[in-house]
Amino acid sequence: MIPRHRTLQDLVKWSHDLLASDEQHLFARLCVFAGSFGLDAVEEVCADQDLDSSGVSLLLANLVDKSMVHLIDEDLPRYRLLETLRDYGRDRLGKAERDLVRSRHAAWYLEVAERCGRSLAGPDEASAVKMLDRDFDNLRAAHLWSIEHSDIDVALRLVAGLREYSFRCMHAEVTNWADSAIALPEASGHDRYPVAVGVAAYGRFVRGDLESAIELGEQAVVAAQQLAIDGSGIAERALGNAWFYRGDTERGVEWMDRMLTSARKGSPARLAMLCTCGLLPTLASATMSAVRSLPPTV
């Protein structure tokens, strides 16, 4: 080890050894978080019979006072660990405890994804987007945990919950998560599978892979029919866009009509979201193409 790294490790160990045992315990568990995190997440993820939730806020404040945790936003509040400290604390957790805490971490951020996903269809849209932006590192960590542990439920629901956020905020990474989630064994029997396949299809469309977008979109439609569930119009959106950009306007309109039929089964907000993010951009593009094809006026 490089001498200066050895010195840094010794400094971290010295600071850690000065902590009380319950502070050390919380510090180790905080290392499952990626990026920044809030007090509500700490109480949900880190507290149990060994660390009572009523005392977590005080322990966290002690860790801030002792410079083991950084308070980066006093108003929310939000906290962060330096990477060196996170690495040290992670090594203090045994495998069984680490797996337990990481599973609670994944469950918490799945709930965040689904709650914010619902809020995107209402007046709290702006605050929901800000929350997802702040927590995206932790959402990614939850996804990685779900794939690592083949947790089909978390993997598929996470993609489904984040689909509109992904499309609106250009987080194409979520469409890659969809690819990983639908590849899990026995994923095709889950009721969120058609939506996740639809998200993967839309991701292919955005990247310009129209053939794969159509293939996956049709797969999602068939899966929804087989499971006798509504696929939320995501696959139809991908198919409508893909066929439009392949130059088959008739098929594109047919799939957009089917997208609207699916959307009408949900809330008015869902209908508005699908139209805004799926139908209107494509129609605008088609209109501009038609205008460009007109002969020049004299």
Side-chain angles (χ1 to χ4, degrees), residues 202 205 210 214 218 233-261 274 278-284 286:
Y202 199 80
F205 159 71
L210 302 183
I214 291 170
E218 292 175 345
I234 304 300
E236 291 83 356
R237 181 198 300 189
L239 286 163
N241 279 285
W243 281 114
F244 261 118
Y245 280 89
R246 278 197 58 182
D248 194 331
T249 306
E250 186 175 344
R251 282 196 182 183
V253 170
E254 177 186 340
W255 281 109
M256 286 298 181
D257 284 342
R258 293 179 64 171
M259 179 195 77
L260 293 174
T261 298
L274 282 172
L279 181 60
L280 296 182
T282 297
L283 291 179

Side-chain angles (χ1 to χ4, degrees), residues 51-86:
L51 277 175
D52 187 73
S53 59
S54 63
V56 162
S57 60
L58 178 58
L59 292 175
L60 185 57
N62 291 345
L63 291 173
V64 171
D65 289 342
K66 296 175 181 181
S67 300
M68 298 298 285
V69 175
H70 284 207
L71 175 62
I72 62 172
D73 190 321
E74 295 184 7
D75 295 328
L76 290 174
R78 298 285 293 187
Y79 305 86
R80 182 187 293 273
L81 271 69
L82 294 177
E83 195 62 36
T84 303
L85 294 171
R86 181 182 290 110

Side-chain angles (χ1 to χ4, degrees), residues 29-289:
R29 292 186 171 188
L30 290 176
C31 295
V32 304
F33 289 100
S36 67
F37 49 89
L39 176 59
D40 54 350
V42 176
E43 291 175 336
E44 187 69 24
V45 173
C46 298
D48 57 17
Q49 66 274 14
D50 297 323
L51 277 175
D52 187 73
S53 59
S54 63
V56 162
S57 60
L58 178 58
L59 292 175
L60 185 57
N62 291 345
L63 291 173
V64 171
D65 289 342
K66 296 175 181 181
S67 300
M68 298 298 285
V69 175
H70 284 207
L71 175 62
I72 62 172
D73 190 321
E74 295 184 7
D75 295 328
L76 290 174
R78 298 285 293 187
Y79 305 86
R80 182 187 293 273
L81 271 69
L82 294 177
E83 195 62 36
T84 303
L85 294 171
R86 181 182 290 110
D87 290 343
Y88 184 86
R90 191 180 293 121
D91 292 340
R92 310 275 77 77
L93 281 178
K95 183 180 184 306
E97 184 177 9
R98 182 168 59 251
D99 287 346
L100 175 63
V101 178
R102 286 188 67 197
S103 70
R104 292 203 296 255
H105 175 277
W108 169 256
Y109 284 102
L110 171 60
E111 195 276 331
V112 169
E114 292 183 328
R115 170 162 40 89
C116 289
R118 291 189 295 269
S119 295
L120 290 177
D124 296 328
E125 175 186 3
S127 60
V129 168
K130 288 180 181 179
M131 180 176 292
L132 292 173
D133 285 344
R134 287 192 299 264
D135 282 329
F136 197 77
D137 288 337
N138 283 296
L139 293 165
R140 181 188 294 114
H143 161 72
L144 293 173
W145 181 91
S146 70
I147 299 302
E148 178 186 337
H149 291 79
S150 297
D151 192 318
I152 298 168
D153 186 63
V154 172
L156 293 175
R157 287 171 59 195
L158 194 60
V159 167
L162 291 172
R163 64 186 185 273
E164 287 300 332
Y165 170 74
S166 169
F167 301 154
R168 295 186 195 192
C169 300
M170 303 301 290
H171 266 295
E173 181 179 346
V174 175
T175 67
N176 295 332
W177 300 0
D179 291 337
S180 300
I182 64 178
L184 291 174
E186 302 181 10
S188 60
H190 194 283
D191 63 1
R192 295 284 82 187
Y193 177 75
V195 174
V197 178
V199 173
Y202 199 80
R204 296 295 203 286
F205 159 71
V206 171
R207 293 194 290 272
D209 186 354
L210 302 183
E211 295 298 329
S212 293
I214 291 170
E215 180 181 350
L216 282 169
E218 292 175 345
Q219 179 182 329
V221 171
V222 170
Q225 292 170 345
Q226 291 175 339
L227 294 171
I229 61 173
D230 174 38
S232 298
I234 304 300
E236 291 83 356
R237 181 198 300 189
L239 286 163
N241 279 285
W243 281 114
F244 261 118
Y245 280 89
R246 278 197 58 182
D248 194 331
T249 306
E250 186 175 344
R251 282 196 182 183
V253 170
E254 177 186 340
W255 281 109
M256 286 298 181
D257 284 342
R258 293 179 64 171
M259 179 195 77
L260 293 174
T261 298
S262 175
R264 291 188 183 102
K265 298 176 184 177
S267 65
R270 174 174 154 190
L271 177 61
M273 285 193 298
L274 282 172
C275 287
T276 302
C277 299
L279 181 60
L280 296 182
T282 297
L283 291 179
S285 176
T287 301
M288 289 304 299
S289 296

